Amino acid sequence: MSRLLCESHADINNDENMESVKKSPTGLTNKPEGRVLVLYTGGTIGMVRNEEGVLVPIANAFIKNLRRYPQLHDREYAEKTFGAMGPLVLPMTATDNRRVIYNVLEYSNLCDSSNMTMDEWIRIANDIKESYEYFDGFVILHGTDTLSYTASALSFMLESLGKIVIVTGSQMPIFDTRSDGLDNFLASLVIAANYSIPEVCVFFGTNLLRGNRTSKASASSFEAFHSPNFPPLATANIKIEVNYRSIFRSCNLEKFSVHASLNRNVGLLRLFPSITSDLVKVFLQSPIEGVVLQSYGMGNLPTNRDDIIKELRAATKRGVIIVNITQCATGCVSDAYEAGKLLRKNGVILGFDMTPEAALTKLAYVLSKHEWDTETKRQMMQTNLRGELTVGQPPTLQDWDLVEAVAKSLRLSSTAELQELGSILFPAMLSAAVIRRDIIKLESLQRYGADISQANADGRTALHIACCEGDIKVVRCLLKMGANIHIKDRFDRTPLTDAIEYDRHEIIKLLLQCGAHFHGNALLIGERMCAAASVGNTKRLQSYLLAGADLSQKDVSGRTPLHFAALHNHPETIEFLLENGADPHCLDILGQTAAELAETVRAENATRLLASSRRNIVVESTAKSHT
Ligand code: ASN
């Protein structure tokens, strides 16, 4: 990441404070925090006017200014909590659940997004990968011109994404007196820190849109992006309202990973009346491997143009993947017309309602999957991988929709009332099903429209409850249904924290396998482990170890779990700690080792064990010094 970090400057976020984020993921404040990494790649949002009045990106200018704007940085809180060189902090408003703490990573080659290439997409994806476990969400500041291409590409490259990534920008520079940049940036930060929407999104105007459903629709409007075939995932007006039912959740047990290669031999071919077959032929020539064909209406091409059909057929026979999408701003291709069927007969596949940006970047992604043969690649292009296309009829509300039925009996009718009812009913019913270990009920609740990751008033989800309850079958079922492993409840606990606190060892392993990571304030974790060691709770220490904790972590008095196990004379716990790398030489703030504590309280077993471990270490180090 250092290659891409902004220049080290007294007033900007640099490598050093990125390190502080990694070491101390949460501060010791009462309000839970939401950590966001901002990748600033360029675009109008951060540009300034040069002497000729032309907008240009200038290195460090954006980040320097952020610290001076009270809407963007609560200097008093930040300096008190993190010191002068710490991360940026948003001021808190009465309605916020979490304090938004953010770091900005400025790219060394800030660019107008017209200059973006696949190399930059790969670079962004890799930067997210490197800092994935340290942040709750990511905001990418980007020029608007090619923003939808980047968002679409990232949606495919970020595989099994469990956290929110928001791509945003603006039509006017953020520090201009009148600008859409401030609202877009602030709303993106707040959403990224507070909402569990594991998708690559675009935020613009008042809408949070699925990234791979967007296109730039206006060169001048503040509502620059539209999502022609899919409703917004959320709207940010006075309240931020999330449409949880429309969130795409990956339903596999894989860890988050980045597919960091793309095939560049792809292109967009738009039909027009009297297009020549020579042009089509040249376009389809090697090395082209994938083409998005923008046809008319519902996917039609002229049926009287055998010359074009011949070129298309020859190309698909050579293995070129040709995907048919419509030139229309909205709608879906199908083979309803003879003209569309003809394309299918000649090997052209349906791209359904994909935007040109999604179809092109998906081709670049699919074609770079070396483990897939051509037939699999063709199938994948027609499969909904990240919510980018609608196959068949779009899902409609069923008559038997559960919330609707209850709402009817309560005489509730407005959308807001229905949403409110759903947000109360579903988390409660999901939790009840988890407690009864009723997998069939869980599946049917999802069919009735429950969002499997929806949280109750305490921010707890069905997965949190399942990790406490301890039935691994239920946990696995929830994960396969798309339950998010990263959600933090109001006490900042993730499902992994619950699995640790209930000593569910198999569940801890499963969560880690699916990409969960251990988080929390190091001192607080130290205190919990020390408390376990004080009562000889070796099983709890095993849970922490499985989750990746450092068993030598100190509490506020500088004591480690080994100090407490020694002080309270728990030989079995001492043995376990020593076997698993606990350091017997660690000194507490009074300068005492665990062995000295044991001697002071005359804990005989503990003293003996610690003395022999000391001897072993001495013998080992003498042996080393002789070799
Ligand atoms: N030309 C700019 C860009 O795409 C447009 C913008 O950001 N509003 O970088």
Side-chain angles (χ1 to χ4, degrees), residues 302-608:
T303 44
N304 56 359
R305 292 294 305 274
D306 288 343
D307 54 337
I308 298 179
I309 303 280
K310 192 177 124 220
E311 297 305 336
L312 293 172
R313 185 171 53 238
T316 58
K317 280 221 168 109
R318 285 199 305 274
V320 177
I321 297 183
I322 307 181
V323 186
N324 185 15
I325 64 165
T326 178
Q327 299 185 357
C328 299
T330 60
C332 185
V333 297
S334 78
D335 40 19
Y337 290 92
E338 179 53 30
K341 236 187 204 120
L342 196 58
L343 280 173
R344 281 261 263 185
K345 271 193 215 140
N346 288 286
V348 176
I349 56 179
L350 290 176
F352 302 96
D353 55 353
M354 272 192 286
T355 59
E357 292 88 342
L360 185 87
T361 54
K362 186 174 178 182
L363 258 181
Y365 165 78
V366 165
L367 285 168
S368 70
K369 285 273 184 183
H370 300 301
E371 63 274 32
W372 292 345
D373 60 18
T374 307
E375 196 37 50
T376 311
K377 288 175 183 163
R378 285 168 61 86
Q379 264 168 27
M380 288 301 172
M381 282 308 297
Q382 298 172 90
T383 306
N384 182 12
L385 298 181
R386 308 278 192 272
E388 74 282 6
L389 58 80
T390 318
V391 187
Q393 289 298 312
T396 51
L397 276 187
Q398 307 287 332
D399 291 344
W400 39 266
D401 183 276
L402 187 67
V403 177
E404 288 220 321
V406 178
K408 245 184 224 155
S409 71
L410 295 174
R411 297 190 199 293
L412 305 175
S413 57
S414 75
T415 322
E417 283 170 332
L418 278 181
Q419 269 184 359
E420 174 108 31
L421 184 64
S423 71
I424 298 166
L425 273 186
F426 282 134
M429 294 173 79
L430 287 166
S431 302
V434 165
I435 286 170
R436 284 202 305 273
R437 295 159 163 59
D438 191 341
I439 287 177
I440 293 173
K441 182 61 132 290
L442 283 172
E443 286 166 349
S444 72
L445 279 168
Q446 193 176 42
R447 277 200 304 278
Y448 277 118
D451 169 24
I452 210 71
S453 292
Q454 195 154 4
N456 68 11
D458 273 336
R460 295 180 62 70
T461 64
L463 189 59
H464 282 94
I465 315 282
C467 289
C468 299
E469 289 296 302
D471 187 329
I472 195 155
K473 281 206 261 0
V474 177
V475 173
R476 194 173 280 123
C477 158
L478 287 169
L479 291 169
K480 282 198 179 145
M481 288 164 78
N484 191 299
I485 39 171
H486 301 297
I487 296 182
K488 292 175 185 163
D489 68 10
R490 96 150 77 191
F491 317 102
D492 220 32
R493 288 191 306 231
T494 60
L496 180 61
T497 322
D498 284 325
I500 295 170
E501 291 294 318
Y502 282 80
D503 299 319
R504 309 297 189 193
H505 290 182
E506 290 312 306
I507 293 177
I508 294 173
K509 287 185 207 156
L510 177 62
L511 293 173
L512 293 176
Q513 178 200 318
C514 297
H517 31 252
F518 189 51
H519 92 290
N521 178 270
L523 285 179
L524 293 180
I525 292 166
E527 252 162 45
R528 288 202 193 110
M529 291 197 296
C530 289
S534 301
V535 292
N537 188 349
T538 311
K539 195 169 181 193
R540 180 64 40 82
L541 293 169
Q542 254 166 352
S543 305
Y544 276 104
L545 182 69
L546 271 178
D550 170 10
L551 291 181
S552 296
Q553 175 60 50
K554 295 175 172 184
D555 71 355
V556 277
S557 63
R559 288 185 178 167
T560 63
L562 193 60
H563 282 94
F564 283 93
L567 192 59
H568 297 278
N569 200 19
H570 294 298
E572 189 208 333
T573 309
I574 294 172
E575 266 172 341
F576 170 79
L577 288 166
L578 289 173
E579 274 162 21
N580 289 288
D583 178 7
H585 301 293
C586 240
L587 301 178
D588 66 11
I589 50 175
L590 300 174
Q592 289 182 306
T593 62
E596 282 160 353
L597 283 186
E599 274 164 35
T600 313
V601 294
R602 299 210 170 86
E604 283 175 18
N605 293 341
T607 308
R608 197 168 2 88

Side-chain angles (χ1 to χ4, degrees), residues 35-57:
R35 293 265 178 178
V36 181
L37 177 63
V38 177
L39 302 180
Y40 170 40
T41 69
T44 300
I45 192 161
M47 289 189 191
V48 282
R49 281 171 217 282
N50 66 12
E51 306 87 61
E52 287 137 43
V54 175
L55 287 173
V56 284

Side-chain angles (χ1 to χ4, degrees), residues 42-45 47 111-114 142-146 170-171 216:
T44 300
I45 192 161
M47 289 189 191
C111 70
D112 185 292
S113 74
S114 334
H142 196 289
T144 56
D145 290 344
T146 64
S170 68
Q171 298 282 43
K216 184 169 179 181

